Amino acid sequence: MNNTWQLIKKGNTSSAIAALGNTGLAIIKGIAASISGSGTMFASAMHSVADAVNQGFVFVGSVLAERKPTKKFPTGFGRVINLVCMVAVIVVTIMAYETILKGFKLLKHPEEATNFWLNFIVLAIAVIIDGSILVKAMKEIMKETGAEASGLSLLPAAFKNAGRAAPPTRLVFYEDIVATLGALFALIAIVFAHFFNFLILDGIATILIGCLMVGVAFKVGYDNMVGLIGVAAPKDVEEKISRIILADPDVRDINRLRILQEGRNYHVEAYIELKKGMTLAEAGQSKMRINALLTQDPNISDVTLGILEDDGIKLWNPREDLEHPGQ
């Protein structure tokens, strides 16, 4: 029981908060949609349901991914989160289809919504809550990637570094951009419908929200498909690790360096060339020293180092090493 609680505590914070927040939003939006008959409120409610289900799944997946390797699964459970995110993508796609379908029905047969102030207040609350979750996700991206940003620079910095963040954090970030924009679209639509009798905007906003959901499904699906296959670490991570290796006084060159990204964790495999004349014991000590330095980084989950004697030929070139990994 204690071990289970420890795993839960290691679960992705952003997805847990988002799941709880969207559950509450889905309930109040659903009630408002049933009372008022607003199409955009229905679309927004559907999106909140999809987000709540997805982020709940993702939180569970992030907890399972923290399990330690076993004899049967020696490489651990890190890619479980990618599988869970793929399930989330299917849920979002289904919800997006239903939302777009509802939008086209409203275009053909516009419906006048009632209880304007109820819709307005609920959607204003949704913008605030979804916006708060979005800010939390952006800060989580900064924390996970070691980047620094604040204020207005937080959003572009989050976009820039999202690819290096954990899959659940990326999912929350992209979904809540859509959720916040969707709530804003819905708010604009009900205001125009009420004050200008522009009922067709209800259907247009509903279709836009559905299309945004499709965009999120595609982006998250692609990122997690790549994660399941296995993807090379970003260039700056490779350069950081190579600098640490080459800074050791016994290292003369890197023969090969391969870094696999799995979620926000990195698996490092390298063949390093040490100075000539070292004994096997001395070379082993150098290897252990470099290994210890690399594993100080909490995002590096394991390091495999092979040692060679310096051949006098400078080989290390990050771009060439990626293009010719077998050399």
CSV table of all heavy atoms in Angstrom, one decimal, residues 57-115:
chain,number,residue,atom,x,y,z
A,57,PHE,N,-6.9,9.2,-17.6
A,57,PHE,CA,-6.1,8.0,-18.2
A,57,PHE,C,-4.6,8.3,-18.1
A,57,PHE,O,-3.8,7.4,-17.7
A,57,PHE,CB,-6.5,7.8,-19.6
A,57,PHE,CG,-7.6,6.8,-19.8
A,57,PHE,CD1,-8.8,7.1,-20.5
A,57,PHE,CD2,-7.6,5.5,-19.2
A,57,PHE,CE1,-9.8,6.3,-20.6
A,57,PHE,CE2,-8.6,4.6,-19.4
A,57,PHE,CZ,-9.7,5.0,-20.1
A,58,VAL,N,-4.2,9.5,-18.5
A,58,VAL,CA,-2.8,9.9,-18.6
A,58,VAL,C,-2.2,9.9,-17.2
A,58,VAL,O,-1.0,9.4,-17.0
A,58,VAL,CB,-2.7,11.2,-19.3
A,58,VAL,CG1,-1.2,11.8,-19.1
A,58,VAL,CG2,-3.0,11.1,-20.8
A,59,PHE,N,-2.9,10.4,-16.2
A,59,PHE,CA,-2.4,10.3,-14.9
A,59,PHE,C,-2.1,8.9,-14.4
A,59,PHE,O,-1.0,8.6,-13.8
A,59,PHE,CB,-3.3,11.0,-13.9
A,59,PHE,CG,-2.8,11.0,-12.4
A,59,PHE,CD1,-1.7,11.7,-12.0
A,59,PHE,CD2,-3.5,10.2,-11.5
A,59,PHE,CE1,-1.2,11.6,-10.7
A,59,PHE,CE2,-3.0,10.1,-10.2
A,59,PHE,CZ,-1.9,10.8,-9.8
A,60,VAL,N,-3.1,8.0,-14.6
A,60,VAL,CA,-2.9,6.6,-14.3
A,60,VAL,C,-1.7,6.0,-15.0
A,60,VAL,O,-0.8,5.3,-14.4
A,60,VAL,CB,-4.1,5.8,-14.6
A,60,VAL,CG1,-3.9,4.3,-14.4
A,60,VAL,CG2,-5.3,6.2,-13.7
A,61,GLY,N,-1.6,6.4,-16.3
A,61,GLY,CA,-0.4,5.9,-17.1
A,61,GLY,C,0.9,6.4,-16.6
A,61,GLY,O,1.9,5.7,-16.5
A,62,SER,N,0.9,7.7,-16.1
A,62,SER,CA,2.2,8.3,-15.6
A,62,SER,C,2.6,7.6,-14.3
A,62,SER,O,3.8,7.5,-14.0
A,62,SER,CB,2.0,9.8,-15.4
A,62,SER,OG,1.1,10.1,-14.3
A,63,VAL,N,1.6,7.2,-13.5
A,63,VAL,CA,1.9,6.4,-12.3
A,63,VAL,C,2.5,5.0,-12.6
A,63,VAL,O,3.5,4.6,-12.0
A,63,VAL,CB,0.6,6.3,-11.4
A,63,VAL,CG1,0.8,5.3,-10.3
A,63,VAL,CG2,0.1,7.6,-10.9
A,64,LEU,N,1.8,4.3,-13.6
A,64,LEU,CA,2.3,3.0,-14.0
A,64,LEU,C,3.7,3.1,-14.6
A,64,LEU,O,4.5,2.2,-14.4
A,64,LEU,CB,1.3,2.4,-15.0
A,64,LEU,CG,-0.1,2.0,-14.4
A,64,LEU,CD1,-0.9,1.5,-15.6
A,64,LEU,CD2,0.0,1.0,-13.3
A,65,ALA,N,4.0,4.2,-15.3
A,65,ALA,CA,5.3,4.3,-15.9
A,65,ALA,C,6.4,4.5,-14.9
A,65,ALA,O,7.6,4.3,-15.2
A,65,ALA,CB,5.3,5.5,-16.8
A,66,GLU,N,6.1,4.8,-13.7
A,66,GLU,CA,7.1,5.0,-12.6
A,66,GLU,C,7.5,3.7,-12.0
A,66,GLU,O,8.4,3.7,-11.1
A,66,GLU,CB,6.6,6.0,-11.5
A,66,GLU,CG,6.4,7.4,-12.0
A,66,GLU,CD,7.7,8.1,-12.3
A,66,GLU,OE1,8.8,7.6,-11.8
A,66,GLU,OE2,7.7,9.0,-13.2
A,67,ARG,N,6.8,2.6,-12.3
A,67,ARG,CA,7.2,1.3,-11.7
A,67,ARG,C,8.6,0.9,-12.1
A,67,ARG,O,9.1,1.2,-13.2
A,67,ARG,CB,6.2,0.2,-12.2
A,67,ARG,CG,4.8,0.3,-11.7
A,67,ARG,CD,4.0,-0.8,-12.1
A,67,ARG,NE,4.5,-2.1,-11.6
A,67,ARG,CZ,4.1,-3.3,-12.0
A,67,ARG,NH1,3.1,-3.4,-13.0
A,67,ARG,NH2,4.6,-4.4,-11.5
A,68,LYS,N,9.3,0.3,-11.2
A,68,LYS,CA,10.7,-0.1,-11.4
A,68,LYS,C,10.8,-1.3,-12.3
A,68,LYS,O,9.8,-2.1,-12.4
A,68,LYS,CB,11.4,-0.4,-10.0
A,68,LYS,CG,11.5,0.8,-9.1
A,68,LYS,CD,12.2,0.4,-7.8
A,68,LYS,CE,12.4,1.6,-6.9
A,68,LYS,NZ,13.0,1.3,-5.6
A,69,PRO,N,11.9,-1.4,-13.0
A,69,PRO,CA,12.0,-2.6,-13.9
A,69,PRO,C,12.0,-3.9,-13.2
A,69,PRO,O,12.3,-4.0,-12.0
A,69,PRO,CB,13.4,-2.4,-14.5
A,69,PRO,CG,13.7,-0.9,-14.4
A,69,PRO,CD,13.0,-0.5,-13.1
A,70,THR,N,11.5,-4.9,-13.8
A,70,THR,CA,11.4,-6.3,-13.2
A,70,THR,C,12.2,-7.2,-14.1
A,70,THR,O,12.7,-6.9,-15.2
A,70,THR,CB,9.9,-6.7,-13.2
A,70,THR,OG1,9.4,-6.8,-14.5
A,70,THR,CG2,9.1,-5.7,-12.4
A,71,LYS,N,12.3,-8.5,-13.7
A,71,LYS,CA,13.0,-9.5,-14.5
A,71,LYS,C,12.3,-9.7,-15.9
A,71,LYS,O,12.9,-9.9,-16.9
A,71,LYS,CB,13.0,-10.8,-13.8
A,71,LYS,CG,14.0,-10.8,-12.6
A,71,LYS,CD,14.1,-12.2,-11.9
A,71,LYS,CE,15.1,-12.1,-10.7
A,71,LYS,NZ,15.2,-13.5,-10.1
A,72,LYS,N,10.9,-9.6,-15.8
A,72,LYS,CA,10.2,-9.8,-17.0
A,72,LYS,C,10.2,-8.6,-17.9
A,72,LYS,O,10.2,-8.7,-19.2
A,72,LYS,CB,8.7,-10.1,-16.7
A,72,LYS,CG,7.9,-10.6,-17.9
A,72,LYS,CD,6.5,-11.1,-17.5
A,72,LYS,CE,5.7,-11.6,-18.7
A,72,LYS,NZ,4.4,-12.0,-18.3
A,73,PHE,N,10.3,-7.4,-17.3
A,73,PHE,CA,10.4,-6.1,-18.1
A,73,PHE,C,11.6,-5.4,-17.6
A,73,PHE,O,11.5,-4.4,-16.9
A,73,PHE,CB,9.1,-5.3,-17.9
A,73,PHE,CG,7.8,-6.0,-18.3
A,73,PHE,CD1,7.0,-6.6,-17.3
A,73,PHE,CD2,7.4,-6.1,-19.6
A,73,PHE,CE1,5.9,-7.3,-17.7
A,73,PHE,CE2,6.3,-6.7,-19.9
A,73,PHE,CZ,5.5,-7.3,-19.0
A,74,PRO,N,12.8,-5.8,-18.1
A,74,PRO,CA,14.0,-5.2,-17.6
A,74,PRO,C,14.3,-3.8,-18.0
A,74,PRO,O,15.1,-3.1,-17.4
A,74,PRO,CB,15.1,-6.1,-18.2
A,74,PRO,CG,14.5,-6.7,-19.4
A,74,PRO,CD,13.0,-6.9,-19.0
A,75,THR,N,13.6,-3.3,-19.1
A,75,THR,CA,13.8,-1.9,-19.5
A,75,THR,C,12.8,-1.0,-18.8
A,75,THR,O,12.9,0.2,-19.1
A,75,THR,CB,13.7,-1.8,-21.0
A,75,THR,OG1,12.4,-2.2,-21.4
A,75,THR,CG2,14.8,-2.6,-21.7
A,76,GLY,N,12.0,-1.5,-17.9
A,76,GLY,CA,11.1,-0.6,-17.2
A,76,GLY,C,9.7,-0.4,-17.9
A,76,GLY,O,9.5,-1.1,-18.9
A,77,PHE,N,9.0,0.5,-17.4
A,77,PHE,CA,7.6,0.7,-17.9
A,77,PHE,C,7.4,2.2,-18.5
A,77,PHE,O,6.3,2.6,-18.6
A,77,PHE,CB,6.6,0.5,-16.8
A,77,PHE,CG,6.6,-0.9,-16.3
A,77,PHE,CD1,7.5,-1.3,-15.3
A,77,PHE,CD2,5.8,-1.9,-16.8
A,77,PHE,CE1,7.6,-2.6,-14.8
A,77,PHE,CE2,5.8,-3.2,-16.3
A,77,PHE,CZ,6.7,-3.5,-15.3
A,78,GLY,N,8.5,2.8,-18.9
A,78,GLY,CA,8.4,4.2,-19.3
A,78,GLY,C,7.5,4.4,-20.5
A,78,GLY,O,6.8,5.5,-20.6
A,79,ARG,N,7.4,3.5,-21.4
A,79,ARG,CA,6.6,3.7,-22.6
A,79,ARG,C,5.1,3.4,-22.4
A,79,ARG,O,4.3,3.6,-23.3
A,79,ARG,CB,7.2,2.9,-23.8
A,79,ARG,CG,8.6,3.3,-24.1
A,79,ARG,CD,9.0,2.7,-25.4
A,79,ARG,NE,10.4,3.0,-25.6
A,79,ARG,CZ,11.1,2.6,-26.7
A,79,ARG,NH1,10.5,2.0,-27.7
A,79,ARG,NH2,12.4,2.9,-26.8
A,80,VAL,N,4.8,3.0,-21.2
A,80,VAL,CA,3.3,2.8,-20.9
A,80,VAL,C,2.6,4.1,-21.1
A,80,VAL,O,1.4,4.1,-21.6
A,80,VAL,CB,3.1,2.3,-19.4
A,80,VAL,CG1,1.7,2.3,-19.0
A,80,VAL,CG2,3.6,0.8,-19.3
A,81,ILE,N,3.2,5.2,-20.7
A,81,ILE,CA,2.5,6.5,-20.9
A,81,ILE,C,2.2,6.8,-22.3
A,81,ILE,O,1.2,7.4,-22.6
A,81,ILE,CB,3.4,7.6,-20.2
A,81,ILE,CG1,2.6,8.9,-20.1
A,81,ILE,CG2,4.7,7.8,-20.9
A,81,ILE,CD1,1.3,8.8,-19.3
A,82,ASN,N,3.1,6.4,-23.2
A,82,ASN,CA,2.8,6.6,-24.7
A,82,ASN,C,1.6,5.8,-25.1
A,82,ASN,O,0.8,6.3,-25.9
A,82,ASN,CB,4.1,6.2,-25.5
A,82,ASN,CG,5.3,7.1,-25.2
A,82,ASN,OD1,6.2,6.7,-24.5
A,82,ASN,ND2,5.3,8.3,-25.8
A,83,LEU,N,1.5,4.6,-24.6
A,83,LEU,CA,0.3,3.8,-25.0
A,83,LEU,C,-1.0,4.4,-24.5
A,83,LEU,O,-2.0,4.5,-25.2
A,83,LEU,CB,0.5,2.4,-24.4
A,83,LEU,CG,1.6,1.5,-25.1
A,83,LEU,CD1,1.7,0.2,-24.3
A,83,LEU,CD2,1.2,1.1,-26.5
A,84,VAL,N,-0.9,4.9,-23.2
A,84,VAL,CA,-2.1,5.5,-22.6
A,84,VAL,C,-2.5,6.8,-23.4
A,84,VAL,O,-3.7,7.0,-23.6
A,84,VAL,CB,-1.8,5.8,-21.1
A,84,VAL,CG1,-3.0,6.6,-20.6
A,84,VAL,CG2,-1.7,4.5,-20.3
A,85,CYS,N,-1.5,7.5,-23.8
A,85,CYS,CA,-1.8,8.8,-24.5
A,85,CYS,C,-2.4,8.5,-25.9
A,85,CYS,O,-3.2,9.2,-26.4
A,85,CYS,CB,-0.5,9.6,-24.7
A,85,CYS,SG,0.1,10.5,-23.2
A,86,MET,N,-2.0,7.3,-26.5
A,86,MET,CA,-2.6,6.9,-27.8
A,86,MET,C,-4.1,6.6,-27.6
A,86,MET,O,-4.9,6.9,-28.4
A,86,MET,CB,-1.9,5.7,-28.4
A,86,MET,CG,-0.5,6.0,-28.8
A,86,MET,SD,-0.4,7.3,-30.1
A,86,MET,CE,-1.0,6.5,-31.5
A,87,VAL,N,-4.4,6.0,-26.4
A,87,VAL,CA,-5.9,5.7,-26.1
A,87,VAL,C,-6.6,7.1,-26.0
A,87,VAL,O,-7.7,7.3,-26.5
A,87,VAL,CB,-6.0,4.9,-24.8
A,87,VAL,CG1,-7.5,4.8,-24.4
A,87,VAL,CG2,-5.4,3.5,-25.0
A,88,ALA,N,-5.9,8.0,-25.3
A,88,ALA,CA,-6.5,9.4,-25.1
A,88,ALA,C,-6.8,10.0,-26.5
A,88,ALA,O,-7.8,10.7,-26.7
A,88,ALA,CB,-5.6,10.2,-24.3
A,89,VAL,N,-5.9,9.8,-27.5
A,89,VAL,CA,-6.1,10.4,-28.8
A,89,VAL,C,-7.3,9.8,-29.4
A,89,VAL,O,-8.1,10.6,-30.1
A,89,VAL,CB,-4.8,10.0,-29.7
A,89,VAL,CG1,-5.1,10.3,-31.1
A,89,VAL,CG2,-3.6,10.9,-29.2
A,90,ILE,N,-7.6,8.5,-29.3
A,90,ILE,CA,-8.8,7.9,-29.8
A,90,ILE,C,-10.1,8.6,-29.2
A,90,ILE,O,-11.0,8.9,-29.9
A,90,ILE,CB,-8.8,6.4,-29.6
A,90,ILE,CG1,-7.7,5.8,-30.4
A,90,ILE,CG2,-10.1,5.8,-30.0
A,90,ILE,CD1,-7.4,4.3,-30.0
A,91,VAL,N,-10.0,8.8,-27.9
A,91,VAL,CA,-11.2,9.4,-27.2
A,91,VAL,C,-11.4,10.8,-27.8
A,91,VAL,O,-12.5,11.2,-28.1
A,91,VAL,CB,-10.9,9.5,-25.7
A,91,VAL,CG1,-12.1,10.3,-25.0
A,91,VAL,CG2,-10.9,8.1,-25.1
A,92,VAL,N,-10.3,11.6,-27.9
A,92,VAL,CA,-10.4,13.0,-28.4
A,92,VAL,C,-11.0,13.0,-29.9
A,92,VAL,O,-11.8,13.8,-30.2
A,92,VAL,CB,-9.1,13.7,-28.4
A,92,VAL,CG1,-9.1,15.0,-29.1
A,92,VAL,CG2,-8.6,13.9,-27.0
A,93,THR,N,-10.5,12.1,-30.7
A,93,THR,CA,-11.0,12.0,-32.1
A,93,THR,C,-12.5,11.7,-32.1
A,93,THR,O,-13.2,12.3,-32.9
A,93,THR,CB,-10.2,10.9,-32.8
A,93,THR,OG1,-8.8,11.1,-32.7
A,93,THR,CG2,-10.6,10.9,-34.3
A,94,ILE,N,-13.0,10.8,-31.3
A,94,ILE,CA,-14.4,10.5,-31.3
A,94,ILE,C,-15.2,11.7,-30.9
A,94,ILE,O,-16.2,12.0,-31.5
A,94,ILE,CB,-14.7,9.3,-30.4
A,94,ILE,CG1,-14.1,8.0,-30.9
A,94,ILE,CG2,-16.2,9.1,-30.2
A,94,ILE,CD1,-14.1,6.8,-30.0
A,95,MET,N,-14.8,12.3,-29.8
A,95,MET,CA,-15.4,13.5,-29.3
A,95,MET,C,-15.4,14.7,-30.3
A,95,MET,O,-16.4,15.4,-30.5
A,95,MET,CB,-14.8,14.0,-28.0
A,95,MET,CG,-14.9,13.1,-26.8
A,95,MET,SD,-16.6,13.0,-26.2
A,95,MET,CE,-16.4,12.0,-24.8
A,96,ALA,N,-14.3,14.8,-31.1
A,96,ALA,CA,-14.2,15.8,-32.1
A,96,ALA,C,-15.2,15.6,-33.2
A,96,ALA,O,-15.9,16.5,-33.7
A,96,ALA,CB,-12.8,15.8,-32.7
A,97,TYR,N,-15.4,14.3,-33.6
A,97,TYR,CA,-16.3,13.9,-34.6
A,97,TYR,C,-17.7,14.3,-34.2
A,97,TYR,O,-18.5,14.9,-35.0
A,97,TYR,CB,-16.2,12.4,-34.9
A,97,TYR,CG,-17.4,11.9,-35.8
A,97,TYR,CD1,-17.4,12.1,-37.2
A,97,TYR,CD2,-18.4,11.2,-35.2
A,97,TYR,CE1,-18.4,11.7,-37.9
A,97,TYR,CE2,-19.5,10.7,-36.0
A,97,TYR,CZ,-19.5,11.0,-37.3
A,97,TYR,OH,-20.5,10.5,-38.1
A,98,GLU,N,-18.1,14.0,-33.0
A,98,GLU,CA,-19.4,14.3,-32.5
A,98,GLU,C,-19.7,15.8,-32.4
A,98,GLU,O,-20.8,16.3,-32.7
A,98,GLU,CB,-19.6,13.7,-31.1
A,98,GLU,CG,-19.7,12.2,-31.1
A,98,GLU,CD,-20.9,11.6,-31.8
A,98,GLU,OE1,-21.9,12.3,-31.9
A,98,GLU,OE2,-20.8,10.4,-32.2
A,99,THR,N,-18.6,16.5,-32.1
A,99,THR,CA,-18.7,18.0,-31.9
A,99,THR,C,-18.9,18.6,-33.3
A,99,THR,O,-19.8,19.5,-33.5
A,99,THR,CB,-17.5,18.5,-31.3
A,99,THR,OG1,-17.3,17.9,-30.0
A,99,THR,CG2,-17.6,20.1,-31.1
A,100,ILE,N,-18.1,18.2,-34.3
A,100,ILE,CA,-18.2,18.7,-35.7
A,100,ILE,C,-19.6,18.4,-36.3
A,100,ILE,O,-20.2,19.2,-36.9
A,100,ILE,CB,-17.1,18.2,-36.6
A,100,ILE,CG1,-15.8,18.8,-36.1
A,100,ILE,CG2,-17.3,18.6,-38.0
A,100,ILE,CD1,-14.6,18.1,-36.8
A,101,LEU,N,-20.1,17.2,-36.0
A,101,LEU,CA,-21.4,16.8,-36.5
A,101,LEU,C,-22.5,17.7,-35.9
A,101,LEU,O,-23.4,18.1,-36.6
A,101,LEU,CB,-21.7,15.3,-36.1
A,101,LEU,CG,-22.8,14.6,-36.8
A,101,LEU,CD1,-22.6,14.5,-38.3
A,101,LEU,CD2,-23.0,13.2,-36.2
A,102,LYS,N,-22.4,18.0,-34.6
A,102,LYS,CA,-23.3,18.9,-34.0
A,102,LYS,C,-23.3,20.3,-34.6
A,102,LYS,O,-24.3,20.9,-34.8
A,102,LYS,CB,-23.0,19.0,-32.5
A,102,LYS,CG,-23.9,20.0,-31.7
A,102,LYS,CD,-25.3,19.5,-31.5
A,102,LYS,CE,-26.1,20.4,-30.6
A,102,LYS,NZ,-27.5,20.0,-30.4
A,103,GLY,N,-22.1,20.7,-34.9
A,103,GLY,CA,-21.9,22.1,-35.5
A,103,GLY,C,-22.6,22.2,-36.9
A,103,GLY,O,-23.3,23.2,-37.2
A,104,PHE,N,-22.5,21.1,-37.7
A,104,PHE,CA,-23.1,21.2,-39.0
A,104,PHE,C,-24.7,21.1,-38.9
A,104,PHE,O,-25.4,21.8,-39.7
A,104,PHE,CB,-22.6,20.0,-39.9
A,104,PHE,CG,-21.3,20.3,-40.6
A,104,PHE,CD1,-20.2,19.6,-40.2
A,104,PHE,CD2,-21.2,21.2,-41.6
A,104,PHE,CE1,-19.0,19.8,-40.8
A,104,PHE,CE2,-20.0,21.5,-42.2
A,104,PHE,CZ,-18.9,20.8,-41.8
A,105,LYS,N,-25.1,20.4,-37.9
A,105,LYS,CA,-26.6,20.4,-37.6
A,105,LYS,C,-27.1,21.8,-37.2
A,105,LYS,O,-28.2,22.2,-37.7
A,105,LYS,CB,-26.9,19.4,-36.5
A,105,LYS,CG,-26.8,17.9,-37.0
A,105,LYS,CD,-27.1,17.0,-35.8
A,105,LYS,CE,-27.0,15.5,-36.2
A,105,LYS,NZ,-27.3,14.6,-35.1
A,106,LEU,N,-26.3,22.5,-36.5
A,106,LEU,CA,-26.7,23.8,-36.0
A,106,LEU,C,-26.6,24.8,-37.2
A,106,LEU,O,-27.3,25.8,-37.2
A,106,LEU,CB,-25.8,24.3,-34.9
A,106,LEU,CG,-26.0,23.6,-33.5
A,106,LEU,CD1,-24.9,24.0,-32.5
A,106,LEU,CD2,-27.4,24.0,-33.0
A,107,LEU,N,-25.7,24.6,-38.2
A,107,LEU,CA,-25.6,25.4,-39.3
A,107,LEU,C,-26.9,25.3,-40.2
A,107,LEU,O,-27.4,26.2,-40.7
A,107,LEU,CB,-24.4,25.1,-40.2
A,107,LEU,CG,-23.0,25.6,-39.7
A,107,LEU,CD1,-21.9,25.2,-40.6
A,107,LEU,CD2,-23.0,27.1,-39.5
A,108,LYS,N,-27.4,24.0,-40.3
A,108,LYS,CA,-28.6,23.8,-41.1
A,108,LYS,C,-29.8,24.2,-40.4
A,108,LYS,O,-30.8,24.7,-41.0
A,108,LYS,CB,-28.7,22.3,-41.4
A,108,LYS,CG,-27.6,21.8,-42.4
A,108,LYS,CD,-27.8,20.3,-42.7
A,108,LYS,CE,-26.8,19.8,-43.7
A,108,LYS,NZ,-26.9,18.3,-43.9
A,109,HIS,N,-29.8,24.0,-39.1
A,109,HIS,CA,-31.0,24.3,-38.3
A,109,HIS,C,-30.6,25.1,-37.0
A,109,HIS,O,-30.5,24.6,-35.9
A,109,HIS,CB,-31.8,23.1,-37.9
A,109,HIS,CG,-32.1,22.2,-39.0
A,109,HIS,ND1,-33.1,22.4,-39.9
A,109,HIS,CD2,-31.5,21.0,-39.3
A,109,HIS,CE1,-33.1,21.4,-40.8
A,109,HIS,NE2,-32.2,20.5,-40.5
A,110,PRO,N,-30.3,26.4,-37.2
A,110,PRO,CA,-29.9,27.3,-36.0
A,110,PRO,C,-30.9,27.2,-34.9
A,110,PRO,O,-32.1,27.3,-35.2
A,110,PRO,CB,-29.8,28.7,-36.6
A,110,PRO,CG,-29.6,28.4,-38.1
A,110,PRO,CD,-30.4,27.2,-38.4
A,111,GLU,N,-30.4,27.2,-33.7
A,111,GLU,CA,-31.3,27.1,-32.5
A,111,GLU,C,-31.0,28.3,-31.6
A,111,GLU,O,-29.8,28.6,-31.4
A,111,GLU,CB,-31.1,25.8,-31.7
A,111,GLU,CG,-31.4,24.6,-32.5
A,111,GLU,CD,-31.1,23.3,-31.8
A,111,GLU,OE1,-30.7,23.4,-30.6
A,111,GLU,OE2,-31.2,22.2,-32.3
A,112,GLU,N,-32.0,29.0,-31.2
A,112,GLU,CA,-31.8,30.1,-30.3
A,112,GLU,C,-31.7,29.6,-28.8
A,112,GLU,O,-32.6,28.9,-28.3
A,112,GLU,CB,-33.0,31.1,-30.3
A,112,GLU,CG,-32.8,32.4,-29.5
A,112,GLU,CD,-33.9,33.4,-29.8
A,112,GLU,OE1,-34.7,33.1,-30.6
A,112,GLU,OE2,-33.8,34.4,-29.1
A,113,ALA,N,-30.6,29.9,-28.2
A,113,ALA,CA,-30.3,29.5,-26.9
A,113,ALA,C,-31.0,30.4,-25.9
A,113,ALA,O,-31.2,31.6,-26.1
A,113,ALA,CB,-28.8,29.5,-26.6
A,114,THR,N,-31.3,29.9,-24.7
A,114,THR,CA,-31.9,30.6,-23.6
A,114,THR,C,-30.9,30.7,-22.5
A,114,THR,O,-29.8,30.2,-22.5
A,114,THR,CB,-33.2,29.9,-23.1
A,114,THR,OG1,-32.9,28.6,-22.7
A,114,THR,CG2,-34.2,29.9,-24.2
A,115,ASN,N,-31.3,31.5,-21.4
A,115,ASN,CA,-30.5,31.6,-20.2
A,115,ASN,C,-29.1,32.1,-20.6
A,115,ASN,O,-28.1,31.5,-20.3
A,115,ASN,CB,-30.4,30.3,-19.5
A,115,ASN,CG,-31.7,29.8,-18.9
A,115,ASN,OD1,-32.1,30.3,-17.8
A,115,ASN,ND2,-32.4,28.9,-19.6
